[in-house]
Amino acid sequence: MWKRKILKKKARKMLCHQYFIMIAVCFILAFVAGEYGDSLMSITYYDSSQEVESVETTKIYEGMTRPEEPDKEMTAEGPSFSNPHGEKTVVPNSRGVFAKIFRNVTAKGSLFLGVAYTLLPLINNSEAAQIVISVLGVAFSFFWWLFVQNLLMVGEKRFFLEKINYTEVPFRTLLMPWRTGKGVNVTAGMTLKSLYEFLWWLTVAGGVIKHYSYLMVPYILAENPAVSPREAIRLSRRMMDGEKFRAFLLDMSFLGWRILGTLTLGLLDIFFVNPYMASSAAQLYRELRIKTKERQLEGYAYLNDEWLFEIPEGRDRTAEEKKTYPVGCFPSQETKHRVVLRTDYMRTYSFRTLVLLFFSFSIIGWLWEVGLHVVQDGSFVNRGTMYGPWLPIYGWGGVLVLVLLRRIRKNPILTFFLTVVICGILEYWTSWALEAAADTKWWDYSGYFLNLHGRICAEGLFVFGLGGCAIIYILAPVLADLYDRIPVYRQTLLCMMLVAAFAADFSYASMYPNKGRGITDYDTKAVLEDSTGPSKDGLGSDKYPALEAGRARL
């Protein structure tokens, strides 16, 4: 017979190891799957439409406006205000895709609605298009709930179950349903559970009872993702027989913590309550599992993961197995997928190859930004400070991540974040150097979400992080293999020709840099939203800026 006080004490002990990873797991589930209610209150409470930095505030009364009301106008840096002293300030979070998503998510309190309100006006304002996109949005939301939210919730249960007996649980445990190839079966089980609960909630009282009857379904699927949906539900009902009210009291024991979490706008939930409750629920499953196997209740054989909570008879765990769950012992082995593209991303690159890759990345970056400008504005603009078909900042960024991150390429997550850091430093320094040398800005992120002095922003760095990973793991190895087929003397000749052309272009651009409309003096299409948030037409603001993903770079 389990006791609530002892169970919660064990749960608190679980928080001593991998605390921040547990926070990250719960935060992802709260943001993506909405599992922890109001945990994101501190984020969704923020209303960016009320934020105006360095601008005298305006209060509009009935039929009267304060005389110091700032005048709104459009500038090259985005929508701005002019205060009585003539100073202009770009409104924060008024430009860029991330800024639009951030404003709409915080205004609507929903990730899906925020993304939908951002993308919908970019397609077409016709009524037919709105209906089509709305239907597609509903379908996508259902698909997301079916194959992402449900599977992530089961992956989270698996993570906390392993945390009971192991001190180091890898973050990829969240992806267990996908990695085992049992995602469809897990989705079916979670969907059937949700359907039964919905039908029982129509009786009100029955909904509360059946909620606790089916409480163990995701944990059963987390231990054995191959169990059939109906068997998982039947086994959960047997495990919860006589335990429903005690489980209810366990939930109620967190009521004080939840109130404190609400008073802190969800911050306490994020940093303590959510992982605490998840750990307690995992401990509850462990106790009920022990009872089920001891009593040999019908269906107990489905609880067949011997390494999850105890050591199988006749086996000793190694020092490593005491820290991490031995994946090879999992009842449902991970499926092996056919390799579509095989690249040796750990390879080394010769100096000639790096030179060719530098020009390849520079030309690809130029094509990217020129192509975006053609699609958005319908006109060709030669981007960058130079006149040739290259943007060297892309070349330097690609070469730097290849050279500096060679030893950590086996860790894609760390590679991504370090790529963001390297590209952020490179872009910030380049912007500062260009402005100091030529007193001109070739790009300006003022008004973008999380920008730093208008030189870098979260949106651009996110794209650079993805692009850097694509270069390291796919593009660079593939291009290098192609270049290796070229005879060495031809590689050398090609490098010399490219370097000579680049040097000539650089010398001329140093004296007469490339400037002009769409390069250093472009018109923004951004329009400041109404102070009350998205307009009442249901589409956000009346006009949205076109996607401006690229800025001319050195």
Side-chain angles (χ1 to χ4, degrees):
M1 182 67 68
W2 59 275
K3 295 183 178 181
R4 186 167 64 250
K5 184 177 295 187
I6 297 177
L7 187 147
K8 294 177 72 173
K9 182 179 180 180
K10 293 179 180 179
R12 290 193 296 271
K13 187 177 180 180
M14 290 173 59
L15 301 179
C16 297
H17 300 281
Q18 293 186 302
Y19 170 69
F20 289 103
I21 293 182
M22 297 170 76
I23 290 176
V25 168
C26 293
F27 184 83
I28 290 174
L29 267 293
F31 191 79
V32 176
E35 188 172 357
Y36 292 102
D38 297 331
S39 297
L40 301 180
M41 189 184 304
S42 59
I43 298 177
T44 57
Y45 181 79
Y46 171 78
D47 184 0
S48 61
S49 66
Q50 303 300 320
E51 179 183 339
V52 177
E53 293 180 355
S54 303
V55 179
E56 303 223 4
T57 57
T58 301
K59 292 184 179 180
I60 301 178
Y61 301 90
E62 294 184 8
M64 178 176 63
T65 304
R66 287 176 54 177
E68 65 268 30
E69 178 184 15
D71 297 323
K72 179 182 71 177
E73 63 175 285
M74 303 307 300
T75 69
E77 293 80 15
S80 67
F81 285 103
S82 295
N83 60 23
H85 304 289
E87 299 175 350
K88 293 182 179 180
T89 303
V90 177
V91 176
N93 299 330
S94 60
R95 301 172 61 208
V97 177
F98 278 19
K100 298 181 186 68
I101 294 176
F102 178 77
R103 293 199 311 271
N104 286 324
V105 167
T106 53
K108 295 297 179 182
S110 167
L111 176 63
F112 286 114
L113 287 178
V115 174
Y117 273 78
T118 301
L119 299 180
L120 189 55
L122 298 178
I123 301 174
N124 197 331
N125 250 355
S126 66
E127 184 175 349
Q130 296 171 18
I131 295 175
V132 171
I133 298 302
S134 299
V135 172
L136 291 177
V138 172
F140 177 77
S141 298
F142 178 73
F143 177 86
W144 181 271
W145 170 78
L146 202 63
F147 293 103
V148 177
Q149 291 187 13
N150 282 330
L151 298 187
L152 272 180
M153 285 193 290
V154 173
E156 180 219 18
K157 309 307 181 192
R158 178 71 194 191
F159 179 90
F160 281 96
L161 289 179
E162 290 189 13
K163 278 296 299 175
I164 293 177
N165 208 33
Y166 300 93
T167 57
E168 297 180 6
V169 181
F171 197 79
R172 66 175 181 271
T173 304
L174 274 177
L175 306 178
M176 181 275 295
W178 291 283
R179 294 168 66 90
T180 57
K182 303 297 182 182
V184 174
N185 186 71
V186 172
T187 296
M190 294 295 289
T191 302
L192 189 62
K193 168 184 175 291
S194 300
L195 177 62
Y196 283 1
E197 281 192 21
F198 170 77
L199 295 176
W200 277 106
W201 273 111
L202 296 179
T203 66
V204 184
V208 178
I209 296 173
K210 291 302 178 179
H211 168 74
Y212 287 97
S213 290
Y214 306 145
L215 190 63
M216 295 296 113
V217 170
Y219 292 94
I220 295 170
L221 293 171
E223 178 174 355
N224 184 1
V227 63
S228 68
R230 292 185 182 277
E231 286 298 333
I233 289 177
R234 294 192 189 103
L235 183 55
S236 176
R237 290 170 56 190
R238 298 184 190 107
M239 294 176 70
M240 294 301 297
D241 187 22
E243 305 287 350
K244 290 185 283 293
F245 185 69
R246 299 186 68 203
F248 171 76
L249 293 179
L250 175 64
D251 286 345
M252 288 298 99
S253 68
F254 291 99
L255 183 60
W257 287 112
R258 297 310 302 269
I259 293 175
L260 289 176
T262 301
L263 295 177
T264 59
L265 298 180
L267 290 177
L268 185 62
D269 290 336
I270 293 174
F271 291 103
F272 178 71
V273 181
N274 291 343
Y276 183 21
M277 293 181 63
S279 300
S280 299
Q283 290 286 352
L284 174 61
Y285 174 76
R286 178 178 180 273
E287 297 295 332
L288 297 181
R289 181 183 185 273
I290 293 174
K291 183 193 76 171
T292 301
K293 294 180 76 70
E294 287 178 349
R295 297 181 181 180
Q296 295 188 355
L297 299 179
E298 183 180 353
Y300 81 96
Y302 290 115
L303 308 179
N304 58 355
D305 192 343
E306 297 179 330
W307 287 86
L308 190 56
F309 299 117
E310 64 273 342
I311 304 174
E313 295 182 5
R315 293 289 302 272
D316 292 326
R317 289 192 299 179
T318 64
E320 186 62 27
E321 289 174 340
K322 292 180 180 180
K323 295 181 180 180
T324 306
Y325 177 88
V327 179
C329 300
F330 193 72
S332 298
Q333 294 299 318
E334 296 185 2
T335 57
K336 296 183 179 179
H337 301 282
R338 181 171 60 92
V339 177
V340 178
L341 178 64
R342 186 182 299 276
T343 59
D344 181 16
Y345 57 83
M346 291 302 296
R347 61 164 293 167
T348 58
Y349 299 94
S350 66
F351 179 75
R352 285 186 303 273
T353 302
L354 287 176
V355 172
L356 294 175
L357 288 175
F358 168 83
F359 283 102
S360 299
F361 301 151
S362 299
I363 294 172
I364 291 173
W366 181 83
L367 291 172
W368 166 258
E369 295 206 3
V370 169
L372 282 175
H373 201 278
V374 170
V375 171
Q376 294 166 17
D377 299 332
S379 61
F380 173 84
V381 173
N382 185 21
R383 311 286 283 175
T385 62
M386 302 173 69
Y387 294 88
W390 37 51
L391 291 175
I393 194 170
Y394 285 92
W396 286 118
V399 171
L400 283 176
V401 297
L402 284 176
V403 174
L404 299 179
L405 304 183
R406 181 176 180 274
R407 294 188 177 183
I408 62 167
R409 292 176 191 170
K410 291 184 178 181
N411 189 333
I413 296 178
L414 182 59
T415 297
F416 171 82
F417 285 108
L418 289 182
T419 299
V420 168
V421 173
I422 292 173
C423 292
I425 294 174
L426 176 64
E427 187 176 30
Y428 189 94
W429 180 87
T430 303
S431 173
W432 176 85
L434 286 174
E435 188 174 352
D439 194 26
T440 303
K441 291 183 178 181
W442 271 266
W443 66 89
D444 188 357
Y445 295 115
S446 298
Y448 278 70
F449 179 61
L450 293 181
N451 75 88
L452 181 61
H453 302 151
R455 304 188 192 281
I456 57 177
C457 69
E459 184 173 324
L461 295 181
F462 178 76
V463 174
F464 283 149
L466 294 179
C469 290
I471 285 174
I472 291 173
Y473 297 109
I474 301 176
L475 188 58
V478 171
L479 290 177
D481 288 342
L482 294 177
Y483 296 149
D484 288 344
R485 300 177 184 177
I486 303 175
V488 174
Y489 77 93
R490 291 186 179 179
Q491 289 186 36
T492 304
L493 180 60
L494 180 59
C495 289
M496 293 174 62
M497 293 173 60
L498 288 171
V499 170
F502 183 85
D505 190 357
F506 181 80
S507 299
Y508 183 80
S510 297
M511 297 181 292
Y512 308 102
N514 185 26
K515 299 181 181 181
R517 186 174 181 84
I519 304 172
T520 57
D521 182 23
Y522 50 86
D523 293 328
T524 182
K525 297 179 181 180
V527 177
L528 183 67
E529 285 189 349
D530 184 81
S531 61
T532 58
S535 61
K536 297 179 181 179
D537 60 1
L539 300 175
S541 59
D542 294 332
K543 296 181 180 178
Y544 273 62
L547 179 61
E548 296 182 17
R551 287 283 170 253
R553 296 175 175 85
L554 175 63

